[in-house]
């Protein structure tokens, strides 16, 4: 588990993101007789996959690294039914509709909105997300040493503002 976030209006529901690329939604009210809850209420597998060209002779359509590069690095609830996530390697910010059951998907799940990386660096992964109080402006900390501000009311793929100035090289 790399990140845990609680739903702001309901502290019994929380989401976790892992280094394996999975996002799990948990409800503490379910199975409350058990000491250990082993089954989440919803599971988004491969939420931020790295898709590479398949190797010659490979039967698989594509290769997903197991080295943590498809890691889910941040989660934030926009509202009770929308969870926004980002990953360390795929360069996408994704919004998920939690009313949909992703657990039964055989293919990679499709988000309701996706914001691709806007910059031009090869360091296109994100490390953190935060929403302002209005829950309309999403600030995304990117590995290219910039913070992008997106309007999640419209889910525009072009940031409203870009902040730069810090370089930890």
């Amino acid at each position: 588990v790399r990140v845990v976030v609680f739903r702001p209006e309901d502290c019994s529901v929380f989401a976790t993101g892992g280094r394996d690329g999975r996002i799990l939604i948990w409800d503490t009210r379910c199975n409350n007789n058990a000491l250990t809850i082993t089954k989440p209420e919803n599971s988004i597998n491969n939420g931020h996959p790295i898709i590479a060209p398949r190797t010659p002779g490979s039967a698989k359509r594509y290769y997903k690294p197991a080295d943590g590069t498809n890691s889910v690095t941040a989660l934030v609830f926009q509202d009770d039914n929308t969870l926004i996530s980002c990953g360390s390697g795929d360069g996408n910010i994704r919004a998920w509709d939690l009313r949909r059951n992703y657990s039964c998907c055989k293919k990679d799940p499709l988000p309701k909105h996706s914001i691709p990386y806007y910059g031009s660096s090869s360091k296109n992964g994100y490390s953190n997300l935060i929403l302002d109080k209005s829950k309309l402006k999403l600030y995304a900390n990117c590995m290219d040493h910039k913070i992008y501000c997106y309007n999640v009311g419209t889910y525009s793929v072009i940031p409203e503002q870009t902040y730069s100035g810090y370089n930890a090289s």
Side-chain angles (χ1 to χ4, degrees):
V1 175
R2 181 157 181 160
V3 62
V4 177
V5 63
F6 280 86
R7 187 185 285 169
E9 305 301 322
D10 182 3
C11 62
S12 60
V13 176
F14 66 97
T16 60
R19 294 188 197 296
D20 61 358
R22 291 176 46 184
I23 300 168
L24 304 176
I25 314 302
W26 303 88
D27 190 336
T28 60
R29 297 170 293 199
C30 298
N31 298 323
N32 59 3
N33 293 334
L35 292 175
T36 304
I37 299 172
T38 58
K39 187 175 185 294
E41 292 302 306
N42 204 345
S43 174
I44 303 169
N45 296 323
N46 299 317
H48 291 276
I50 306 297
I51 301 174
R54 71 177 185 165
T55 56
S58 172
K60 293 186 177 181
R61 195 170 55 104
Y62 50 80
Y63 169 72
K64 293 178 186 172
D67 60 2
T69 56
N70 60 343
S71 179
V72 177
T73 54
L75 298 168
V76 64
F77 280 96
Q78 183 178 9
D79 56 41
D80 284 348
N81 298 316
T82 305
L83 181 68
I84 302 173
S85 67
C86 67
S88 62
D90 73 339
N92 286 298
I93 297 169
R94 296 193 168 140
W96 305 96
D97 184 350
L98 297 181
R99 295 170 293 191
R100 183 170 177 212
N101 184 357
Y102 294 100
S103 302
C104 62
C105 292
K106 301 283 186 220
K107 299 179 181 179
D108 285 341
L110 294 174
K112 70 177 184 177
H113 298 287
S114 186
I115 301 173
Y117 172 63
Y118 186 75
S120 58
S121 172
S122 62
K123 297 178 180 180
N124 63 354
Y126 293 95
S127 61
N128 204 1
L129 298 172
I130 191 166
L131 275 170
D132 70 347
K133 286 189 177 189
S134 71
K135 298 198 182 237
L136 293 176
K137 292 190 181 196
L138 177 73
Y139 295 86
N141 185 28
C142 188
M143 292 181 193
D144 67 357
H145 308 294
K146 293 181 181 165
I147 297 171
Y148 296 97
C149 175
Y150 292 99
N151 182 336
V152 290
T154 62
Y155 280 97
S156 172
V157 297
I158 299 171
E160 288 186 343
Q161 291 191 310
T162 301
Y163 303 89
S164 61
Y166 178 73
N167 190 347
S169 44

mmCIF file with all atom_site columns, all heavy atoms in Angstrom, residues 30-51:
data_model
loop_
_atom_site.group_PDB
_atom_site.id
_atom_site.type_symbol
_atom_site.label_atom_id
_atom_site.label_alt_id
_atom_site.label_comp_id
_atom_site.label_asym_id
_atom_site.label_entity_id
_atom_site.label_seq_id
_atom_site.pdbx_PDB_ins_code
_atom_site.Cartn_x
_atom_site.Cartn_y
_atom_site.Cartn_z
_atom_site.occupancy
_atom_site.B_iso_or_equiv
_atom_site.pdbx_formal_charge
_atom_site.auth_seq_id
_atom_site.auth_comp_id
_atom_site.auth_asym_id
_atom_site.auth_atom_id
_atom_site.pdbx_PDB_model_num
ATOM 1   N N   . CYS A 1 30 ? -18.794 -3.040  6.512   1.00 0.00 ? 30 CYS A N   1
ATOM 2   C CA  . CYS A 1 30 ? -19.018 -4.386  5.990   1.00 0.00 ? 30 CYS A CA  1
ATOM 3   C C   . CYS A 1 30 ? -18.132 -5.376  6.732   1.00 0.00 ? 30 CYS A C   1
ATOM 4   O O   . CYS A 1 30 ? -16.992 -5.071  7.073   1.00 0.00 ? 30 CYS A O   1
ATOM 5   C CB  . CYS A 1 30 ? -18.699 -4.434  4.502   1.00 0.00 ? 30 CYS A CB  1
ATOM 6   S SG  . CYS A 1 30 ? -19.762 -3.360  3.539   1.00 0.00 ? 30 CYS A SG  1
ATOM 7   N N   . ASN A 1 31 ? -18.634 -6.535  6.972   1.00 0.00 ? 31 ASN A N   1
ATOM 8   C CA  . ASN A 1 31 ? -17.899 -7.601  7.663   1.00 0.00 ? 31 ASN A CA  1
ATOM 9   C C   . ASN A 1 31 ? -17.309 -7.128  8.988   1.00 0.00 ? 31 ASN A C   1
ATOM 10  O O   . ASN A 1 31 ? -16.181 -7.452  9.332   1.00 0.00 ? 31 ASN A O   1
ATOM 11  C CB  . ASN A 1 31 ? -16.770 -8.146  6.769   1.00 0.00 ? 31 ASN A CB  1
ATOM 12  C CG  . ASN A 1 31 ? -17.298 -8.769  5.512   1.00 0.00 ? 31 ASN A CG  1
ATOM 13  O OD1 . ASN A 1 31 ? -18.334 -9.404  5.523   1.00 0.00 ? 31 ASN A OD1 1
ATOM 14  N ND2 . ASN A 1 31 ? -16.587 -8.567  4.418   1.00 0.00 ? 31 ASN A ND2 1
ATOM 15  N N   . ASN A 1 32 ? -18.071 -6.352  9.737   1.00 0.00 ? 32 ASN A N   1
ATOM 16  C CA  . ASN A 1 32 ? -17.527 -5.785  10.967  1.00 0.00 ? 32 ASN A CA  1
ATOM 17  C C   . ASN A 1 32 ? -17.361 -6.809  12.082  1.00 0.00 ? 32 ASN A C   1
ATOM 18  O O   . ASN A 1 32 ? -16.824 -6.482  13.120  1.00 0.00 ? 32 ASN A O   1
ATOM 19  C CB  . ASN A 1 32 ? -18.357 -4.593  11.440  1.00 0.00 ? 32 ASN A CB  1
ATOM 20  C CG  . ASN A 1 32 ? -19.811 -4.958  11.696  1.00 0.00 ? 32 ASN A CG  1
ATOM 21  O OD1 . ASN A 1 32 ? -20.186 -6.110  11.570  1.00 0.00 ? 32 ASN A OD1 1
ATOM 22  N ND2 . ASN A 1 32 ? -20.601 -3.966  12.028  1.00 0.00 ? 32 ASN A ND2 1
ATOM 23  N N   . ASN A 1 33 ? -17.781 -8.048  11.866  1.00 0.00 ? 33 ASN A N   1
ATOM 24  C CA  . ASN A 1 33 ? -17.556 -9.090  12.861  1.00 0.00 ? 33 ASN A CA  1
ATOM 25  C C   . ASN A 1 33 ? -16.176 -9.716  12.720  1.00 0.00 ? 33 ASN A C   1
ATOM 26  O O   . ASN A 1 33 ? -15.676 -10.333 13.643  1.00 0.00 ? 33 ASN A O   1
ATOM 27  C CB  . ASN A 1 33 ? -18.626 -10.179 12.750  1.00 0.00 ? 33 ASN A CB  1
ATOM 28  C CG  . ASN A 1 33 ? -19.991 -9.646  13.136  1.00 0.00 ? 33 ASN A CG  1
ATOM 29  O OD1 . ASN A 1 33 ? -20.096 -8.700  13.901  1.00 0.00 ? 33 ASN A OD1 1
ATOM 30  N ND2 . ASN A 1 33 ? -21.030 -10.250 12.598  1.00 0.00 ? 33 ASN A ND2 1
ATOM 31  N N   . ALA A 1 34 ? -15.568 -9.547  11.544  1.00 0.00 ? 34 ALA A N   1
ATOM 32  C CA  . ALA A 1 34 ? -14.253 -10.148 11.303  1.00 0.00 ? 34 ALA A CA  1
ATOM 33  C C   . ALA A 1 34 ? -13.145 -9.235  11.822  1.00 0.00 ? 34 ALA A C   1
ATOM 34  O O   . ALA A 1 34 ? -13.259 -8.021  11.792  1.00 0.00 ? 34 ALA A O   1
ATOM 35  C CB  . ALA A 1 34 ? -14.065 -10.383 9.809   1.00 0.00 ? 34 ALA A CB  1
ATOM 36  N N   . LEU A 1 35 ? -12.077 -9.847  12.319  1.00 0.00 ? 35 LEU A N   1
ATOM 37  C CA  . LEU A 1 35 ? -10.925 -9.071  12.770  1.00 0.00 ? 35 LEU A CA  1
ATOM 38  C C   . LEU A 1 35 ? -10.115 -8.545  11.592  1.00 0.00 ? 35 LEU A C   1
ATOM 39  O O   . LEU A 1 35 ? -9.518  -7.488  11.660  1.00 0.00 ? 35 LEU A O   1
ATOM 40  C CB  . LEU A 1 35 ? -10.031 -9.920  13.667  1.00 0.00 ? 35 LEU A CB  1
ATOM 41  C CG  . LEU A 1 35 ? -10.635 -10.302 15.021  1.00 0.00 ? 35 LEU A CG  1
ATOM 42  C CD1 . LEU A 1 35 ? -9.703  -11.231 15.769  1.00 0.00 ? 35 LEU A CD1 1
ATOM 43  C CD2 . LEU A 1 35 ? -10.913 -9.045  15.833  1.00 0.00 ? 35 LEU A CD2 1
ATOM 44  N N   . THR A 1 36 ? -10.084 -9.310  10.505  1.00 0.00 ? 36 THR A N   1
ATOM 45  C CA  . THR A 1 36 ? -9.359  -8.910  9.310   1.00 0.00 ? 36 THR A CA  1
ATOM 46  C C   . THR A 1 36 ? -10.311 -8.935  8.127   1.00 0.00 ? 36 THR A C   1
ATOM 47  O O   . THR A 1 36 ? -10.919 -9.961  7.835   1.00 0.00 ? 36 THR A O   1
ATOM 48  C CB  . THR A 1 36 ? -8.181  -9.866  9.035   1.00 0.00 ? 36 THR A CB  1
ATOM 49  O OG1 . THR A 1 36 ? -7.346  -9.894  10.186  1.00 0.00 ? 36 THR A OG1 1
ATOM 50  C CG2 . THR A 1 36 ? -7.387  -9.420  7.826   1.00 0.00 ? 36 THR A CG2 1
ATOM 51  N N   . ILE A 1 37 ? -10.430 -7.807  7.454   1.00 0.00 ? 37 ILE A N   1
ATOM 52  C CA  . ILE A 1 37 ? -11.268 -7.719  6.253   1.00 0.00 ? 37 ILE A CA  1
ATOM 53  C C   . ILE A 1 37 ? -10.358 -7.943  5.059   1.00 0.00 ? 37 ILE A C   1
ATOM 54  O O   . ILE A 1 37 ? -9.389  -7.209  4.851   1.00 0.00 ? 37 ILE A O   1
ATOM 55  C CB  . ILE A 1 37 ? -11.984 -6.357  6.175   1.00 0.00 ? 37 ILE A CB  1
ATOM 56  C CG1 . ILE A 1 37 ? -12.884 -6.181  7.396   1.00 0.00 ? 37 ILE A CG1 1
ATOM 57  C CG2 . ILE A 1 37 ? -12.782 -6.244  4.886   1.00 0.00 ? 37 ILE A CG2 1
ATOM 58  C CD1 . ILE A 1 37 ? -13.501 -4.804  7.524   1.00 0.00 ? 37 ILE A CD1 1
ATOM 59  N N   . THR A 1 38 ? -10.645 -8.970  4.279   1.00 0.00 ? 38 THR A N   1
ATOM 60  C CA  . THR A 1 38 ? -9.762  -9.336  3.183   1.00 0.00 ? 38 THR A CA  1
ATOM 61  C C   . THR A 1 38 ? -10.334 -9.029  1.813   1.00 0.00 ? 38 THR A C   1
ATOM 62  O O   . THR A 1 38 ? -9.634  -9.155  0.821   1.00 0.00 ? 38 THR A O   1
ATOM 63  C CB  . THR A 1 38 ? -9.435  -10.842 3.236   1.00 0.00 ? 38 THR A CB  1
ATOM 64  O OG1 . THR A 1 38 ? -10.660 -11.579 3.177   1.00 0.00 ? 38 THR A OG1 1
ATOM 65  C CG2 . THR A 1 38 ? -8.677  -11.176 4.506   1.00 0.00 ? 38 THR A CG2 1
ATOM 66  N N   . LYS A 1 39 ? -11.598 -8.642  1.755   1.00 0.00 ? 39 LYS A N   1
ATOM 67  C CA  . LYS A 1 39 ? -12.228 -8.385  0.457   1.00 0.00 ? 39 LYS A CA  1
ATOM 68  C C   . LYS A 1 39 ? -12.727 -6.947  0.398   1.00 0.00 ? 39 LYS A C   1
ATOM 69  O O   . LYS A 1 39 ? -13.581 -6.547  1.162   1.00 0.00 ? 39 LYS A O   1
ATOM 70  C CB  . LYS A 1 39 ? -13.397 -9.344  0.242   1.00 0.00 ? 39 LYS A CB  1
ATOM 71  C CG  . LYS A 1 39 ? -14.000 -9.264  -1.137  1.00 0.00 ? 39 LYS A CG  1
ATOM 72  C CD  . LYS A 1 39 ? -15.076 -10.318 -1.312  1.00 0.00 ? 39 LYS A CD  1
ATOM 73  C CE  . LYS A 1 39 ? -15.625 -10.353 -2.697  1.00 0.00 ? 39 LYS A CE  1
ATOM 74  N NZ  . LYS A 1 39 ? -16.359 -9.210  -3.120  1.00 0.00 ? 39 LYS A NZ  1
ATOM 75  N N   . PRO A 1 40 ? -12.159 -6.150  -0.536  1.00 0.00 ? 40 PRO A N   1
ATOM 76  C CA  . PRO A 1 40 ? -12.630 -4.768  -0.673  1.00 0.00 ? 40 PRO A CA  1
ATOM 77  C C   . PRO A 1 40 ? -14.004 -4.727  -1.321  1.00 0.00 ? 40 PRO A C   1
ATOM 78  O O   . PRO A 1 40 ? -14.450 -5.692  -1.939  1.00 0.00 ? 40 PRO A O   1
ATOM 79  C CB  . PRO A 1 40 ? -11.574 -4.128  -1.573  1.00 0.00 ? 40 PRO A CB  1
ATOM 80  C CG  . PRO A 1 40 ? -11.019 -5.262  -2.361  1.00 0.00 ? 40 PRO A CG  1
ATOM 81  C CD  . PRO A 1 40 ? -11.080 -6.463  -1.460  1.00 0.00 ? 40 PRO A CD  1
ATOM 82  N N   . GLU A 1 41 ? -14.673 -3.581  -1.198  1.00 0.00 ? 41 GLU A N   1
ATOM 83  C CA  . GLU A 1 41 ? -15.979 -3.396  -1.825  1.00 0.00 ? 41 GLU A CA  1
ATOM 84  C C   . GLU A 1 41 ? -15.870 -3.211  -3.331  1.00 0.00 ? 41 GLU A C   1
ATOM 85  O O   . GLU A 1 41 ? -16.778 -3.547  -4.071  1.00 0.00 ? 41 GLU A O   1
ATOM 86  C CB  . GLU A 1 41 ? -16.694 -2.181  -1.212  1.00 0.00 ? 41 GLU A CB  1
ATOM 87  C CG  . GLU A 1 41 ? -17.084 -2.397  0.222   1.00 0.00 ? 41 GLU A CG  1
ATOM 88  C CD  . GLU A 1 41 ? -17.996 -3.593  0.395   1.00 0.00 ? 41 GLU A CD  1
ATOM 89  O OE1 . GLU A 1 41 ? -19.041 -3.658  -0.273  1.00 0.00 ? 41 GLU A OE1 1
ATOM 90  O OE2 . GLU A 1 41 ? -17.652 -4.478  1.183   1.00 0.00 ? 41 GLU A OE2 1
ATOM 91  N N   . ASN A 1 42 ? -14.777 -2.651  -3.779  1.00 0.00 ? 42 ASN A N   1
ATOM 92  C CA  . ASN A 1 42 ? -14.544 -2.427  -5.199  1.00 0.00 ? 42 ASN A CA  1
ATOM 93  C C   . ASN A 1 42 ? -13.046 -2.479  -5.437  1.00 0.00 ? 42 ASN A C   1
ATOM 94  O O   . ASN A 1 42 ? -12.259 -2.128  -4.560  1.00 0.00 ? 42 ASN A O   1
ATOM 95  C CB  . ASN A 1 42 ? -15.118 -1.076  -5.634  1.00 0.00 ? 42 ASN A CB  1
ATOM 96  C CG  . ASN A 1 42 ? -15.437 -0.998  -7.108  1.00 0.00 ? 42 ASN A CG  1
ATOM 97  O OD1 . ASN A 1 42 ? -15.007 -1.828  -7.902  1.00 0.00 ? 42 ASN A OD1 1
ATOM 98  N ND2 . ASN A 1 42 ? -16.186 0.025   -7.487  1.00 0.00 ? 42 ASN A ND2 1
ATOM 99  N N   . SER A 1 43 ? -12.648 -2.903  -6.617  1.00 0.00 ? 43 SER A N   1
ATOM 100 C CA  . SER A 1 43 ? -11.238 -3.038  -6.954  1.00 0.00 ? 43 SER A CA  1
ATOM 101 C C   . SER A 1 43 ? -11.016 -2.542  -8.373  1.00 0.00 ? 43 SER A C   1
ATOM 102 O O   . SER A 1 43 ? -11.663 -3.013  -9.303  1.00 0.00 ? 43 SER A O   1
ATOM 103 C CB  . SER A 1 43 ? -10.824 -4.503  -6.835  1.00 0.00 ? 43 SER A CB  1
ATOM 104 O OG  . SER A 1 43 ? -9.509  -4.678  -7.283  1.00 0.00 ? 43 SER A OG  1
ATOM 105 N N   . ILE A 1 44 ? -10.111 -1.586  -8.525  1.00 0.00 ? 44 ILE A N   1
ATOM 106 C CA  . ILE A 1 44 ? -9.738  -1.095  -9.847  1.00 0.00 ? 44 ILE A CA  1
ATOM 107 C C   . ILE A 1 44 ? -8.341  -1.624  -10.114 1.00 0.00 ? 44 ILE A C   1
ATOM 108 O O   . ILE A 1 44 ? -7.350  -1.103  -9.611  1.00 0.00 ? 44 ILE A O   1
ATOM 109 C CB  . ILE A 1 44 ? -9.775  0.443   -9.903  1.00 0.00 ? 44 ILE A CB  1
ATOM 110 C CG1 . ILE A 1 44 ? -11.164 0.954   -9.523  1.00 0.00 ? 44 ILE A CG1 1
ATOM 111 C CG2 . ILE A 1 44 ? -9.369  0.944   -11.287 1.00 0.00 ? 44 ILE A CG2 1
ATOM 112 C CD1 . ILE A 1 44 ? -11.238 2.450   -9.290  1.00 0.00 ? 44 ILE A CD1 1
ATOM 113 N N   . ASN A 1 45 ? -8.267  -2.711  -10.869 1.00 0.00 ? 45 ASN A N   1
ATOM 114 C CA  . ASN A 1 45 ? -6.986  -3.325  -11.190 1.00 0.00 ? 45 ASN A CA  1
ATOM 115 C C   . ASN A 1 45 ? -6.353  -2.594  -12.372 1.00 0.00 ? 45 ASN A C   1
ATOM 116 O O   . ASN A 1 45 ? -7.048  -2.177  -13.293 1.00 0.00 ? 45 ASN A O   1
ATOM 117 C CB  . ASN A 1 45 ? -7.157  -4.803  -11.528 1.00 0.00 ? 45 ASN A CB  1
ATOM 118 C CG  . ASN A 1 45 ? -7.670  -5.591  -10.345 1.00 0.00 ? 45 ASN A CG  1
ATOM 119 O OD1 . ASN A 1 45 ? -7.302  -5.319  -9.201  1.00 0.00 ? 45 ASN A OD1 1
ATOM 120 N ND2 . ASN A 1 45 ? -8.523  -6.557  -10.596 1.00 0.00 ? 45 ASN A ND2 1
ATOM 121 N N   . ASN A 1 46 ? -5.044  -2.446  -12.339 1.00 0.00 ? 46 ASN A N   1
ATOM 122 C CA  . ASN A 1 46 ? -4.304  -1.775  -13.408 1.00 0.00 ? 46 ASN A CA  1
ATOM 123 C C   . ASN A 1 46 ? -4.837  -0.369  -13.665 1.00 0.00 ? 46 ASN A C   1
ATOM 124 O O   . ASN A 1 46 ? -5.082  0.016   -14.798 1.00 0.00 ? 46 ASN A O   1
ATOM 125 C CB  . ASN A 1 46 ? -4.332  -2.594  -14.699 1.00 0.00 ? 46 ASN A CB  1
ATOM 126 C CG  . ASN A 1 46 ? -3.689  -3.943  -14.530 1.00 0.00 ? 46 ASN A CG  1
ATOM 127 O OD1 . ASN A 1 46 ? -2.641  -4.051  -13.904 1.00 0.00 ? 46 ASN A OD1 1
ATOM 128 N ND2 . ASN A 1 46 ? -4.307  -4.971  -15.060 1.00 0.00 ? 46 ASN A ND2 1
ATOM 129 N N   . GLY A 1 47 ? -5.017  0.390   -12.596 1.00 0.00 ? 47 GLY A N   1
ATOM 130 C CA  . GLY A 1 47 ? -5.525  1.753   -12.722 1.00 0.00 ? 47 GLY A CA  1
ATOM 131 C C   . GLY A 1 47 ? -4.578  2.672   -13.458 1.00 0.00 ? 47 GLY A C   1
ATOM 132 O O   . GLY A 1 47 ? -5.006  3.615   -14.114 1.00 0.00 ? 47 GLY A O   1
ATOM 133 N N   . HIS A 1 48 ? -3.284  2.399   -13.375 1.00 0.00 ? 48 HIS A N   1
ATOM 134 C CA  . HIS A 1 48 ? -2.274  3.210   -14.057 1.00 0.00 ? 48 HIS A CA  1
ATOM 135 C C   . HIS A 1 48 ? -1.209  2.308   -14.667 1.00 0.00 ? 48 HIS A C   1
ATOM 136 O O   . HIS A 1 48 ? -0.049  2.313   -14.255 1.00 0.00 ? 48 HIS A O   1
ATOM 137 C CB  . HIS A 1 48 ? -1.645  4.210   -13.084 1.00 0.00 ? 48 HIS A CB  1
ATOM 138 C CG  . HIS A 1 48 ? -2.593  5.270   -12.676 1.00 0.00 ? 48 HIS A CG  1
ATOM 139 N ND1 . HIS A 1 48 ? -2.798  6.396   -13.422 1.00 0.00 ? 48 HIS A ND1 1
ATOM 140 C CD2 . HIS A 1 48 ? -3.435  5.362   -11.625 1.00 0.00 ? 48 HIS A CD2 1
ATOM 141 C CE1 . HIS A 1 48 ? -3.713  7.157   -12.834 1.00 0.00 ? 48 HIS A CE1 1
ATOM 142 N NE2 . HIS A 1 48 ? -4.111  6.536   -11.742 1.00 0.00 ? 48 HIS A NE2 1
ATOM 143 N N   . PRO A 1 49 ? -1.580  1.511   -15.684 1.00 0.00 ? 49 PRO A N   1
ATOM 144 C CA  . PRO A 1 49 ? -0.605  0.579   -16.255 1.00 0.00 ? 49 PRO A CA  1
ATOM 145 C C   . PRO A 1 49 ? 0.394   1.266   -17.174 1.00 0.00 ? 49 PRO A C   1
ATOM 146 O O   . PRO A 1 49 ? 0.088   2.263   -17.825 1.00 0.00 ? 49 PRO A O   1
ATOM 147 C CB  . PRO A 1 49 ? -1.481  -0.391  -17.052 1.00 0.00 ? 49 PRO A CB  1
ATOM 148 C CG  . PRO A 1 49 ? -2.627  0.459   -17.496 1.00 0.00 ? 49 PRO A CG  1
ATOM 149 C CD  . PRO A 1 49 ? -2.879  1.402   -16.336 1.00 0.00 ? 49 PRO A CD  1
ATOM 150 N N   . ILE A 1 50 ? 1.603   0.729   -17.207 1.00 0.00 ? 50 ILE A N   1
ATOM 151 C CA  . ILE A 1 50 ? 2.603   1.133   -18.179 1.00 0.00 ? 50 ILE A CA  1
ATOM 152 C C   . ILE A 1 50 ? 2.478   0.147   -19.329 1.00 0.00 ? 50 ILE A C   1
ATOM 153 O O   . ILE A 1 50 ? 2.644   -1.056  -19.137 1.00 0.00 ? 50 ILE A O   1
ATOM 154 C CB  . ILE A 1 50 ? 4.030   1.061   -17.593 1.00 0.00 ? 50 ILE A CB  1
ATOM 155 C CG1 . ILE A 1 50 ? 4.119   1.867   -16.307 1.00 0.00 ? 50 ILE A CG1 1
ATOM 156 C CG2 . ILE A 1 50 ? 5.054   1.523   -18.607 1.00 0.00 ? 50 ILE A CG2 1
ATOM 157 C CD1 . ILE A 1 50 ? 3.884   3.331   -16.465 1.00 0.00 ? 50 ILE A CD1 1
ATOM 158 N N   . ILE A 1 51 ? 2.158   0.645   -20.495 1.00 0.00 ? 51 ILE A N   1
ATOM 159 C CA  . ILE A 1 51 ? 1.979   -0.232  -21.652 1.00 0.00 ? 51 ILE A CA  1
ATOM 160 C C   . ILE A 1 51 ? 3.200   -0.087  -22.548 1.00 0.00 ? 51 ILE A C   1
ATOM 161 O O   . ILE A 1 51 ? 3.507   0.990   -23.033 1.00 0.00 ? 51 ILE A O   1
ATOM 162 C CB  . ILE A 1 51 ? 0.685   0.099   -22.412 1.00 0.00 ? 51 ILE A CB  1
ATOM 163 C CG1 . ILE A 1 51 ? -0.512  -0.066  -21.474 1.00 0.00 ? 51 ILE A CG1 1
ATOM 164 C CG2 . ILE A 1 51 ? 0.547   -0.781  -23.639 1.00 0.00 ? 51 ILE A CG2 1
ATOM 165 C CD1 . ILE A 1 51 ? -1.819  0.370   -22.049 1.00 0.00 ? 51 ILE A CD1 1
#
